[in-house]
Amino acid sequence: VQIVESGGDLVQAGGSLRLSCAATGFTFDTYDIGWFRQAPGKEREGVSWISEADNLIDYTDSVKGRFTISSDIAKNTVYLQLNSLKPEDTAVYYCAAAIAPVKNWLRSSEYRFWGQGTQVTVSS
């Protein structure tokens, strides 16, 4: 099983990025995918989640209306579109996989496999 994130970059406030989470060794019908982020000195927090098995998505309140999660089953890849970025969005973004269904997608302990992370830096 392997998860590889990509797409992080340095952008100005108000800009956009698209993060990718490419997975191998499992399929999305049996695993839910979550995006988390961790800023320096802060705890890792859940950002968004998608469950192909249950056809559900969710976002943490601070990114609702700005971030969009989606998936390409054929490519076994999940995307996170980040729009209207703010300096407080600066963090390392991680993709993680949990056996479906998760009980609480915000809880990092639910996830079995993690990627290495991709850095998103938003300048003011």
Side-chain angles (χ1 to χ4, degrees):
V1 173
Q2 186 175 23
I3 295 174
V4 178
E5 305 99 329
S6 60
D9 205 344
L10 169 64
V11 297
Q12 290 188 334
S16 298
L17 286 173
R18 189 176 79 158
L19 306 183
S20 298
C21 169
T24 58
F26 65 91
T27 56
F28 294 156
D29 58 343
T30 55
Y31 281 82
D32 291 352
I33 301 295
W35 280 98
F36 288 76
R37 66 185 179 186
Q38 188 165 20
K42 294 187 177 181
E43 293 187 355
R44 188 171 298 187
E45 65 167 342
V47 176
S48 185
W49 158 81
I50 185 167
S51 171
E52 289 294 338
D54 295 324
N55 196 28
L56 295 171
I57 60 174
D58 201 6
Y59 304 91
T60 192
D61 286 346
S62 62
V63 308
K64 283 181 180 177
R66 300 189 298 122
F67 292 7
T68 303
I69 194 169
S70 63
S71 64
D72 185 330
I73 301 301
K75 296 182 178 179
N76 222 37
T77 299
V78 171
Y79 303 99
L80 187 66
Q81 179 69 37
L82 285 59
N83 296 331
S84 302
L85 281 162
K86 305 175 181 180
E88 51 263 44
D89 293 318
T90 294
V92 177
Y93 283 70
Y94 298 91
C95 178
I99 296 174
V102 297
K103 295 179 181 178
N104 181 350
W105 73 266
L106 290 166
R107 194 160 55 200
S108 60
S109 60
E110 295 249 11
Y111 296 81
R112 175 175 292 187
F113 305 112
W114 291 80
Q116 82 290 348
T118 185
Q119 177 71 49
V120 171
T121 304
V122 184
S123 63
S124 57

